[in-house]
Amino acid sequence: MTEAPSPPLFRHRHLLGIGDLSPPDIELLLDRADAAVSISRQSEKKTSTLRGRTQINLFYEASTRTQSSFELAGKRLGADVMNMSVASSSVKKGETLIDTAITLNAMRPDILIIRHQSAGAAALLAQKVGCSVVNAGDGAHEHPTQALLDALTIRRAKGPLSKLIVTICGDILHSRVARSNILLLNAMGAQVRVVAPSTLLPSGIERMGVIVHRSMAEGLKDADVVMMLRLQRERMAGAFVPSVREYFRYFGLDAEKLKAAKDDALVMHPGPMNRGVEISSAIADGPQSVIQEQVEMGVAVRMAVMEALLDPRRDGGAK
Amino acid sequence: MSVTVFTDARIVDPSRGIDEIGTVIVDGDKIAAAGASARNQGTPGGATVIDCAGKTILPGLVDSRVFIGEPGAEYRETIASASEAAAAGGVTSIVTMPDTAPVIDDIALVEHVLRAARDTASVHVYPAAALSKGLEGQEMTEFGLLREAGAVTFTDGRHTIASSLLMRRALTYARDFGAVIAHETQDAELSSNGVMNEGLYASWLGLSGIPREAEAIPLERDLMLAHLTGGAYHAAKISTSMSAAAIARAKSDGANVTAAVSINNLSLNENDVGEYRTFFRLSPPLRAEDDRLAMIEAVRDGTVDVIVSSHDPQDVDTKRLPFADAAGGAIGLETLLGAALRLYHNGDVPLLRLAEVLSTAPAKLFGLPGGGLSPGAPADLILVDLDAPWIVSEADIRSRSKNTCFEGARMQGRVLQTLVSGRTVFQS
């Protein structure tokens, strides 16, 4: 059996945002993730790439799916994974992010996965620790592994991203998923559209490399991919939109609205879904939905990212 | 009384419109003469003569917006440490803000600040008192008694008065005591939980933005109330072309209004926030470059009357946090002159005008001694080498807090000597 050629070296120490990556960086991660998919599909899922390495998951916002995805990814690579439960730790007792970082750093982890409610938290942490940091979502800023897993899902179904029409629908204003996806899709040459009520669009959106549409019929026309975003319940009661029923009427994805897109358009959602708010159950569970594949690709992408960051060819990993 | 004679200096005195080579004679705590004509007055026996060829003498700066940690947060800044920083920065008078713990809203607290200043400060310290009790925006403080105790103006510091009725009454009542109401305007609802200027840059960073209108809407309201009441209103920190236009309009309508701008909004813009640099989280936020340029124009054309440092010491506990969780504010006493001189070296603002907005105008506005070099004036002056280059370094900062926006910045123009009431309080 011949040894597979080793993948090119990833030149970054941290993954803090898609904004830091070049198109070749993105391709590299997606290619590595493709390989990781095959590992996950074997009956023997464990490898020893990260054996002896320590991964700490530091989640300030509860997120079952992202945290377990990172945990599973680390375990499949053979790493020791520790989940810091923020709710019961000293963080609750007023310890600052920096102090927590310094404490964790003393435990000499190899990689820290952080999710935090404040934009820039992952970058701040990265300045203070000696190991690699992966941003698992910081406020409304970025969620790079989500954008990568979305790209992997699209690429596996549709081929190269360039020239595809991707429409992102919903709460763009508060969405880190939207920002990371806009950056990644633009970098890879896709045409990006957004559809949302104007109260849920950030200032300057028209200069973010997207075409803004106010109606689903226009925004979805001939789209190859439809990405739905979650709308937080607390933002529906009059603050940004007047009611759930009005929101669903104009911006919820149902069979009728989806008709405007290409017949084989993919329907995506980062989860967790609000069925009947931003997406109807029939569509979420329908033939065009790749929401389950996104979850699978999530594990693969996170394996690829951690392997790439802790590449032993680089001065002893990231230490 | 000792006499000091500064010879051959460039003398810039906006109080008399002078910018000429001449002599300054300081006799005790007063200026005896200053200007070209003083050259012929001779030198009294026993006088110290300082050759100032190539150097410039300006009236000491008057900084009318300085936040201090005393009482309540002395680890950030005391009156003594702020005063030392001021002296090094060429600032000879500071107006301190009431946002302390406890709030300066009572005569005993005004007296406390004045006493601490008398005992520990080397520059003049003039307390501003709270406009509303406890800065709560509900009830007026005792303007008359506080003024008698030594409060020079009334302001709620970082807080904006939401109630139009309270603002109307404060302006009306303050008029009877000849007091100025100073107000920073930021509509709390409209700015929501905003932490930087609203726009594309904030959107990419995922930070909530503060629209320019959040400043302009309460400001427009205040200007109407100033017109209605005839009260003296001072817009304490404006940052946008929209606000400058409103001020210009109110002035031409005859309202008794003035405006100030922070040196930060003249020197920096929203791009300086970079990757979540919390020292650049300020209030008002750093705006777009268009607004920065508009503020410079407003200083030049007289719409803005005063430049302030908005000195606001914050420590690790309030700054080493994610951007949205960090406190606003930056120190500025030691960099005020250097940053302001950039406007002079760039050719944006003439030196005479710059000295006016940094010294003469705020002194006049708040009724403070100083701000000029006319004979008989207090000898509050600074000797400056306008061209000396230097680099701002954290190690040299005298303020107890190190949250400067100018770390590593190159400055041109340095204070050589600071005199307060004729006494040298700083010499480099």
Side-chain angles (χ1 to χ4, degrees):
Chain A
M1 207 175 114
T2 53
E3 197 71 16
S6 49
L9 193 63
F10 188 62
R11 63 193 175 91
H12 299 272
R13 182 165 178 242
H14 308 292
L15 179 67
L16 303 177
I18 298 296
D20 304 327
L21 304 183
S22 66
D25 290 334
I26 294 167
E27 293 281 6
L28 181 156
L29 291 174
L30 294 180
D31 292 346
R32 289 191 79 134
D34 253 330
V37 174
S38 347
I39 296 171
S40 290
R41 285 181 179 174
Q42 292 164 195
S43 56
E44 172 56 60
K45 296 183 171 58
K46 244 181 148 165
T47 68
S48 56
T49 326
L50 297 189
R51 192 165 60 199
R53 302 297 192 103
T54 306
Q55 169 193 345
I56 298 181
N57 294 335
L58 182 60
F59 276 59
Y60 285 80
E61 282 180 343
S63 162
T64 324
R65 93 174 38 214
T66 306
Q67 183 168 335
S68 38
S69 180
F70 270 105
E71 182 176 349
L72 205 53
K75 285 181 172 166
R76 285 192 180 158
L77 294 170
D80 295 318
V81 184
M82 180 179 130
N83 288 318
M84 280 284 292
S85 168
V86 167
S88 62
S89 72
S90 51
V91 174
K92 258 269 164 80
K93 297 168 198 145
E95 188 176 77
T96 65
L97 175 62
I98 298 280
D99 287 334
T100 305
I102 291 167
T103 306
L104 292 179
N105 197 43
M107 299 176 191
R108 302 204 152 268
D110 297 281
I111 192 159
L112 263 171
I113 316 296
I114 178 174
R115 162 158 305 183
H116 197 279
Q117 62 281 1
S118 298
L124 184 64
L125 190 75
Q127 287 167 20
K128 304 292 170 186
V129 297
C131 65
S132 288
V133 172
V134 177
N135 181 6
D138 62 328
H141 177 223
E142 280 231 45
H143 189 357
T145 57
Q146 179 72 43
L148 288 163
L149 77 87
D150 289 343
L152 184 64
T153 310
I154 298 170
R155 199 175 80 165
R156 287 171 69 99
K158 298 269 173 204
L161 301 180
S162 59
K163 301 196 181 73
L164 292 179
I165 299 175
V166 181
T167 305
I168 307 175
C169 311
D171 184 0
I172 313 284
L173 177 62
H174 300 98
S175 178
R176 51 193 172 217
V177 175
R179 282 174 184 72
S180 288
N181 266 311
I182 290 169
L183 289 166
L184 188 148
L185 293 165
N186 270 315
M188 305 312 283
Q191 189 200 112
V192 189
R193 300 178 186 166
V194 298
V195 186
S198 295
T199 47
L200 291 175
L201 288 172
S203 165
I205 181 71
E206 62 291 338
R207 286 180 288 151
M208 293 175 95
V210 301
I211 301 162
V212 181
H213 293 281
R214 260 95 198 186
S215 88
M216 294 286 271
E218 279 174 34
L220 263 55
K221 191 168 185 303
D222 299 327
D224 297 287
V225 178
V226 182
M227 281 186 182
M228 301 308 296
L229 298 172
R230 176 180 167 78
L231 182 63
Q232 303 278 349
R233 291 243 163 220
E234 61 271 21
R235 291 179 183 138
M236 288 179 262
F240 290 90
V241 293
S243 69
V244 169
R245 72 172 185 183
E246 179 151 321
Y247 185 80
F248 188 76
R249 167 75 179 76
Y250 295 108
F251 299 99
L253 186 64
D254 57 17
E256 189 55 38
K257 296 194 189 90
L258 186 56
K259 275 187 196 159
K262 287 195 181 137
D263 292 342
D264 60 349
L266 305 179
V267 173
M268 307 178 74
H269 193 295
M273 282 182 282
N274 291 308
R275 290 170 184 264
V277 177
E278 68 258 357
I279 190 163
S280 75
S281 275
I283 298 299
D285 305 328
Q288 288 172 261
S289 166
V290 290
I291 296 170
Q292 292 312 309
E293 281 87 332
Q294 285 176 274
V295 177
E296 185 189 357
M297 294 310 125
V299 178
V301 154
R302 283 153 190 145
M303 288 169 75
V305 165
M306 288 193 284
E307 274 188 310
L309 290 173
L310 298 182
D311 197 316
R313 289 171 294 174
R314 222 181 30 195
D315 52 10
K319 284 275 179 184
Chain B
M1 281 300 235
S2 71
V3 175
T4 310
V5 181
F6 299 88
T7 60
D8 283 327
R10 176 178 176 189
I11 296 168
V12 179
D13 179 12
S15 76
R16 294 177 294 158
I18 287 176
D19 183 352
E20 61 194 22
I21 305 291
T23 294
V24 175
I25 304 172
V26 172
D27 186 356
D29 59 359
K30 296 273 193 299
I31 289 169
S37 57
R39 290 169 131 171
N40 311 321
Q41 296 195 2
T43 305
T48 312
V49 179
I50 299 172
D51 175 14
C52 300
K55 314 289 196 303
T56 302
I57 290 178
L58 303 169
L61 309 192
V62 176
D63 188 348
S64 58
R65 209 146 189 92
V66 177
F67 296 86
I68 294 190
E70 183 174 351
E74 284 82 356
Y75 68 101
R76 285 185 206 157
E77 192 85 290
T78 58
I79 288 170
S81 63
S83 148
E84 204 189 321
V91 177
T92 54
S93 295
I94 58 176
V95 177
T96 57
M97 293 297 107
D99 312 41
T100 47
V103 169
I104 309 302
D105 61 357
D106 186 90
I107 49 173
L109 292 154
V110 169
E111 285 163 357
H112 168 83
V113 172
L114 288 171
R115 206 163 39 242
R118 186 196 61 207
D119 295 344
T120 66
S122 56
V123 303
H124 304 295
V125 176
Y126 300 103
L131 187 161
S132 71
K133 288 177 187 159
L135 305 176
E136 283 167 1
Q138 305 288 329
E139 297 169 48
M140 268 191 282
T141 55
E142 299 162 312
F143 291 178
L145 295 174
L146 287 162
R147 204 157 159 70
E148 272 189 47
V152 296
T153 180
F154 298 91
T155 177
D156 267 7
R158 301 181 184 92
H159 302 255
T160 298
I161 307 281
S163 162
S164 309
L165 182 60
L166 175 63
M167 184 50 79
R168 177 187 182 170
R169 294 212 173 119
L171 281 164
T172 307
Y173 190 69
R175 200 182 53 195
D176 295 343
F177 297 96
V180 177
I181 298 294
H183 197 209
E184 288 184 22
T185 56
Q186 183 170 298
D187 185 302
E189 286 272 313
L190 191 54
S191 56
S192 183
N193 42 10
V195 295
M196 72 173 286
N197 187 40
E198 181 173 290
L200 181 63
Y201 198 60
S203 293
W204 276 127
L205 289 174
L207 295 172
S208 14
I210 301 169
R212 304 158 78 235
E213 288 76 5
E215 175 176 295
I217 289 170
L219 177 65
E220 292 273 17
R221 173 203 71 176
D222 288 357
L223 295 173
M224 285 182 196
L225 294 173
H227 202 271
L228 173 70
T229 60
Y233 177 81
H234 178 62
K237 266 197 270 178
I238 66 168
S239 66
T240 71
S241 58
M242 219 181 255
S243 299
I247 296 285
R249 209 177 326 115
K251 283 184 170 179
S252 75
D253 289 349
N256 186 2
V257 303
T258 50
V261 60
S262 157
I263 187 67
N264 299 317
N265 293 96
L266 293 167
S267 312
L268 306 163
N269 67 27
E270 59 182 347
N271 297 322
D272 288 296
V273 169
E275 286 285 301
Y276 306 101
R277 296 158 77 193
T278 58
F279 285 7
F280 295 80
R281 177 165 178 191
L282 303 172
S283 183
L286 295 174
R287 300 287 184 183
E289 180 63 4
D290 286 354
D291 276 322
R292 186 184 77 86
L293 296 174
M295 295 324 293
I296 293 173
E297 179 55 31
V299 168
R300 190 168 39 207
D301 72 14
T303 303
V304 160
D305 306 90
V306 172
I307 297 177
V308 298
S309 74
S310 193
H311 181 82
D312 194 346
Q314 297 290 336
D315 199 15
V316 174
D317 63 326
T318 48
K319 281 294 190 186
R320 259 177 47 178
L321 296 169
F323 195 87
D325 307 329
I331 58 168
L333 283 166
E334 291 166 77
T335 46
L336 174 61
L337 181 66
L341 283 174
R342 286 176 172 181
L343 303 176
Y344 159 67
H345 290 300
N346 290 345
D348 284 333
V349 183
L351 190 58
L352 195 61
R353 175 65 186 153
L354 212 47
E356 184 178 17
V357 294
L358 286 166
S359 177
T360 313
K364 186 165 170 235
L365 174 57
F366 295 106
L368 314 178
L373 302 173
S374 55
D380 294 349
L381 57 87
I382 54 177
L383 179 64
V384 178
D385 181 340
L386 290 176
D387 297 314
W390 60 290
I391 293 173
V392 181
S393 160
E394 190 186 307
D396 301 331
I397 290 172
R398 287 161 183 82
S399 182
R400 274 204 186 168
S401 295
K402 312 297 177 194
N403 54 313
T404 173
C405 289
F406 295 100
E407 171 68 24
R410 284 161 200 285
M411 299 285 187
Q412 189 184 354
R414 158 145 248 186
V415 179
L416 302 173
Q417 192 175 352
T418 303
L419 270 69
V420 174
S421 299
R423 206 161 59 85
T424 297
V425 295
F426 171 80
Q427 194 149 26
S428 73

